[in-house]
């Protein structure tokens, strides 16, 4: 039994399904652990398959290949003094498990199964895995270690069982996606477990974008008494070393680095940037294209794209029509110049007017309305998709959560795209982050320092410019009001009456609730985007399209 331990946490960015690539990352971390003379190396939850692989887990060959990769990695510990903890899928007599294996000297010395399987809005592991028994500690380097897996620590009895069985320390691999204020939730959780169980916990999280999820890392260690002893980078890979000593029968951290947390503004910006970068690169693209309208949303997406991919990989196109203002033309061009991106102008007047001419026999005798307006948006979508097809660039969509909530977007038009960085960001937060980005260059971002979004874009009234002198507030309430109502109805799942009781006009709340309900079909056909809140449309909030329920609490 030892009284000294050096523990390494590999906070890395795996790709779902990429067994070979993830194996390379794991072997690199093992080499770092050997060089650092670490006693233990921990990888994040289901590292080799990526978390979570969804219905790939129903593919027998994938399962076999993944288990073989885990066995190969375990064999790599031969000739080293590192005990490697590999979270992996595992097939046992008891069923198919979310598991971890412990490997030393080239041999698998222990296997443990995840006890508590999440069944929430993001992960539904019971679809794939069998719950394991309450786990027992694993003796590593002579020290009994508790190895709860992610959801296990949300249920006090799992950790209590480990401590009662003799665990002196808890090492927890996680696949915990980001949303705003998530770090506070994790801190409270681990603080509660360390206080109840009176032992330290090392919490490892992965980083990276995976479709609609983005993982922020920010791995940390905590001792009883609310003592934070180390914290890793946020939204960046990290190899985290901490040294531990047993003093008077208790383990305490004698060396660990506490990296600073990100501000409330930088964190969502970095989340969007990392999600976009990984979605583009992990899907084999290098460049993106987007329509730059002179409005706030497309300007912010352009800035995020440059921060994610570099100026040389972002192409912005202005697509003016008769109703496009001179100010929008000036603002779009200035934004492109501040960012340094390629900027082209493709007028849509000819194609739109020709389409209206061809439709005249069908539209004859009917007043102009949304049908004519939406042709403009859809023509822009056609042209942007043509550029995407021709140049091999991924088209980015630029609609925000406020607009997507109430259906203030044109399906098959401005909703076209492969990814939407703003999908879960309310309009007022878009403004807030635009102002913040003009004053800060976030870490790990590739764009220029200084202002990148013209102040006039931030200051002017938003408009789709689909008819003369149009503003968004012709159709919607002021965005501060709309966002507050959406937060109540969507984020908090309040009734119409409860939202109105917060000081909002009852008829307006009823109208917004109806718009949210009937726009579900549009949202189902929208591109993916990073989950930034607890109740993101899509992965965080699943409502039926065909839905006969209506909230009558305000009637």
């Amino acid at each position: 039994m030892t009284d000294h331990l050096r523990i390494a946490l590999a906070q890395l960015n795996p790709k779902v399904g990429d067994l070979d690539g993830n194996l390379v990352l794991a072997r690199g971390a093992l080499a770092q652990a050997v060089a650092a003379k670490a006693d233990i190396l921990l990888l994040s939850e289901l590292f080799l398959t990526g978390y979570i692989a969804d219905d790939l887990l129903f593919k027998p060959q994938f399962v076999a290949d993944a288990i073989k990769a885990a066995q190969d990695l375990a064999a790599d510990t031969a000739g080293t003094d590192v005990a490697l903890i590999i979270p992996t899928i595992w097939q046992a007599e008891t069923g198919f498990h979310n598991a971890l294996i412990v490997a030393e000297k080239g041999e698998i010395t222990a296997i443990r199964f995840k006890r508590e399987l999440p069944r929430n809005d993001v992960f539904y592991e019971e679809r794939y895995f069998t719950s394991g028994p309450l786990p027992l500690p694993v003796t590593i380097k002579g020290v009994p270690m508790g190895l709860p897996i992610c959801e296990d620590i949300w249920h006090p009895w799992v950790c209590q069982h480990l401590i009662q069985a003799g665990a002196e320390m808890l090492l927890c691999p996680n696949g915990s996606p980001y949303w705003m204020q998530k770090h506070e939730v994790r801190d409270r959780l681990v603080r509660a477990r360390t206080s109840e169980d009176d032992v330290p916990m090392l919490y490892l999280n992965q980083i990276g974008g995976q479709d609609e999820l983005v993982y922020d890392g920010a791995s940390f260690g905590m001792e009883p008494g609310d003592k934070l002893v180390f914290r890793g980078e946020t939204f960046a890979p990290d190899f985290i070393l901490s040294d531990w000593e047993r003093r008077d029968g208790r383990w305490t951290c004698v060396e660990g680095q506490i990296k600073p947390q990100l501000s409330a503004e930088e964190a969502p910006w970095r989340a969007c940037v990392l999600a976009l970068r990984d979605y583009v690169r992990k899907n084999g693209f290098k460049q993106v294209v987007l329509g730059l309208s002179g409005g706030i949303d497309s300007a912010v997406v352009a800035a995020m794209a440059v921060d994610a991919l570099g100026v040389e990989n972002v192409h912005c196109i202005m697509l003016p029509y008769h109703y496009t203002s001179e100010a929008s033309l000036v603002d779009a061009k200035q934004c492109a110049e501040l960012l340094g991106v390629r900027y082209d102008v493709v007028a849509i007047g000819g194609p739109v007017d020709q389409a209206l001419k061809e439709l005249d026999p069908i539209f004859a005798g009917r007043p102009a309305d949304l049908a004519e307006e939406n042709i403009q948006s859809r023509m822009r979508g056609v042209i942007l998709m043509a550029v995407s097809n021709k140049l091999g660039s991924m088209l980015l969509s630029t609609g925000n959560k406020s607009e997507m909530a109430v259906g203030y977007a044109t399906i098959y038009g401005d909703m076209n795209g492969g990814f939407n960085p703003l999908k879960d960001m309310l309009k007022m937060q878009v403004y807030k982050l635009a102002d913040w980005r003009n004053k800060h260059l976030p870490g790990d971002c590739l764009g220029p320092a200084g202002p990148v979004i013209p102040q006039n874009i931030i200051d002017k009234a938003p408009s789709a410019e689909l008819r003369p002198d149009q503003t968004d507030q012709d159709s919607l309430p002021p965005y501060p009001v709309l966002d507050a109502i959406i937060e109540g109805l969507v984020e908090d799942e309040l009734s119409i009456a409860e939202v109105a009781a917060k000081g909002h006009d009852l008829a307006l709340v009823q109208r917004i609730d109806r718009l949210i309900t009937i726009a579900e079909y549009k949202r189902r056909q929208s591109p993916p985007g990073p989950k930034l809140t607890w109740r993101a449309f899509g992965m965080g909030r699943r409502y039926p399209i065909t839905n006969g329920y209506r909230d009558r609490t305000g009637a």
Side-chain angles (χ1 to χ4, degrees):
M1 181 177 292
T2 182
D3 291 327
H4 304 273
L5 285 173
R6 172 168 287 184
I7 301 175
L9 307 184
Q11 179 178 291
L12 300 172
N13 187 347
K15 177 181 177 180
V16 164
D18 187 7
L19 299 175
D20 292 338
N22 296 339
L23 199 53
V24 169
L25 289 177
R27 285 171 170 154
L30 179 58
Q32 282 185 278
V34 170
K37 295 181 168 53
D39 298 296
I40 300 171
L41 171 62
L42 177 64
L43 300 175
S44 56
E45 183 174 14
L46 294 182
F47 182 81
L48 293 176
T49 60
Y51 189 71
I52 186 169
D54 292 329
D55 284 8
L56 268 177
L57 297 171
F58 289 143
K59 193 174 185 65
Q61 189 60 53
F62 175 74
V63 171
D65 290 344
I67 292 174
K68 174 65 164 52
Q71 293 168 331
D72 290 346
L73 181 57
D76 289 345
T77 61
T80 79
D81 293 322
V82 177
L84 176 58
I85 302 171
I86 309 169
T88 179
I89 57 175
W90 200 258
Q91 186 69 57
E93 291 183 0
T94 53
F96 184 50
H97 294 278
N98 182 337
L100 58 78
I101 61 177
V102 181
E104 292 188 73
K105 305 299 183 183
E107 301 291 335
I108 296 174
T109 59
I111 303 173
R112 293 293 183 268
F113 302 138
K114 189 173 185 177
R115 166 70 176 190
E116 302 295 338
L117 303 179
R119 42 191 175 275
N120 56 28
D121 65 324
V122 174
F123 302 122
Y124 196 79
E125 289 192 22
E126 289 182 344
R127 176 175 170 85
Y128 309 107
F129 299 121
T130 301
S131 174
L134 281 168
L136 293 173
V138 177
T139 300
I140 305 175
K141 304 297 182 180
V143 180
M145 294 282 187
L147 304 175
I149 302 174
C150 198
E151 184 77 12
D152 285 341
I153 67 172
W154 290 79
H155 304 271
W157 49 85
V158 178
C159 293
Q160 289 169 2
H161 181 79
L162 286 164
I163 301 308
Q164 290 168 2
E168 298 179 8
M169 187 182 295
L170 300 172
L171 276 62
C172 181
N174 294 268
S176 177
Y178 165 85
W179 66 75
M180 287 178 276
Q181 289 84 48
K182 183 67 171 290
H183 69 277
E184 298 173 4
V185 175
R186 296 188 194 120
D187 285 353
R188 287 195 300 269
L189 172 67
V190 175
R191 190 178 299 117
R193 294 295 88 84
T194 56
S195 175
E196 295 161 359
D197 302 322
D198 203 31
V199 299
M201 179 184 290
L202 286 72
Y203 181 105
L204 170 62
N205 193 24
Q206 71 173 67
I207 70 148
Q210 175 57 41
D211 297 343
E212 293 176 277
L213 299 179
V214 58
Y215 297 88
D216 54 329
S219 306
F220 64 101
M222 190 171 288
E223 292 182 17
D226 294 349
K227 184 180 180 183
L228 181 71
V229 294
F230 68 79
R231 182 190 291 118
E233 297 281 0
T234 305
F235 296 114
D238 205 353
F239 185 78
I240 305 164
L241 287 172
S242 57
D243 290 324
W244 297 78
E245 289 184 2
R246 185 191 281 121
R247 297 175 179 175
D248 300 323
R250 301 168 62 89
W251 286 95
T252 186
C253 184
V254 295
E255 185 171 346
Q257 185 177 2
I258 299 177
K259 305 281 180 67
Q261 286 186 311
L262 303 185
S263 69
E265 292 79 24
E266 183 172 356
W269 186 276
R270 292 278 298 276
C272 292
V273 167
L274 178 58
L276 173 57
R277 178 185 296 143
D278 277 359
Y279 191 82
V280 170
R281 291 180 176 173
K282 289 181 178 181
N283 284 291
F285 288 83
K286 293 182 179 179
Q287 298 180 322
V288 296
V289 62
L290 67 144
L292 193 63
S293 68
I296 188 69
D297 297 320
S298 62
V300 168
V301 170
M304 287 177 171
V306 171
D307 279 353
L309 304 169
V311 63
E312 69 278 7
N313 292 314
V314 180
H315 182 189
C316 293
I317 302 177
M318 160 56 96
L319 301 115
Y321 187 58
H322 309 321
Y323 307 132
T324 302
S325 68
E326 182 64 26
S328 291
L329 291 166
V330 171
D331 291 340
K333 183 179 180 181
Q334 185 183 1
C335 184
E337 291 171 346
L338 289 172
L339 289 167
V341 298
R342 176 180 174 180
Y343 176 72
D344 290 303
V345 178
V346 179
I348 64 169
V352 170
D353 291 347
Q354 185 63 35
L356 290 171
K357 180 180 177 181
E358 297 296 331
L359 287 166
D360 187 62
I362 299 174
F363 285 9
R366 298 174 183 268
D369 55 17
L370 281 175
E372 286 82 0
E373 292 180 15
N374 286 342
I375 289 172
Q376 299 169 50
S377 179
R378 292 189 174 116
M379 190 61 68
R380 291 183 173 110
V382 167
I383 291 170
L384 288 169
M385 279 305 305
V387 174
S388 172
N389 291 160
K390 196 70 173 179
L391 302 185
S393 305
M394 180 184 290
L395 175 59
L396 299 183
S397 181
T398 63
N400 60 72
K401 185 175 186 176
S402 305
E403 295 168 355
M404 292 306 302
V406 296
Y408 193 67
T410 305
I411 196 166
Y412 321 125
D414 56 341
M415 288 175 60
N416 282 4
F419 196 74
N420 179 3
L422 302 184
K423 185 175 183 178
D424 197 29
M425 188 177 293
L426 293 169
K427 185 77 167 189
M428 293 312 297
Q429 189 183 17
V430 177
Y431 279 109
K432 182 179 181 180
L433 290 189
D435 184 68
W436 178 85
R437 177 59 181 86
N438 275 348
K439 300 170 184 174
H440 301 83
L441 177 60
D444 196 33
C445 289
L446 305 176
V452 292
I453 299 168
Q455 191 60 41
N456 191 54
I457 289 180
I458 298 174
D459 292 341
K460 69 183 179 182
S463 172
E465 294 191 327
L466 299 177
R467 60 178 181 268
D469 302 317
Q470 180 186 21
T471 68
D472 289 3
Q473 270 54 71
D474 295 342
S475 305
L476 301 173
Y479 279 113
V481 175
L482 177 61
D483 287 358
I485 294 173
I486 292 170
E487 284 183 328
L489 294 173
V490 175
E491 295 290 329
D492 301 329
E493 290 289 2
L494 299 179
S495 68
I496 288 174
E498 289 171 324
V499 175
K502 291 179 175 289
H504 299 292
D505 178 73
L506 175 59
L508 177 60
V509 177
Q510 291 171 325
R511 175 177 167 238
I512 299 305
D513 181 74
R514 177 180 177 276
L515 291 175
I516 291 172
T517 298
I518 65 176
E520 185 64 33
Y521 83 98
K522 283 189 179 181
R523 293 190 291 269
R524 290 285 187 94
Q525 300 180 67
S526 65
K531 184 180 189 294
L532 305 176
T533 65
W534 173 247
R535 299 290 280 170
F537 290 123
M539 183 155 276
R541 184 182 186 272
R542 296 183 177 94
Y543 269 54
I545 296 174
T546 305
N547 177 10
Y549 176 74
R550 296 296 182 266
D551 179 352
R552 305 189 189 282
T553 58

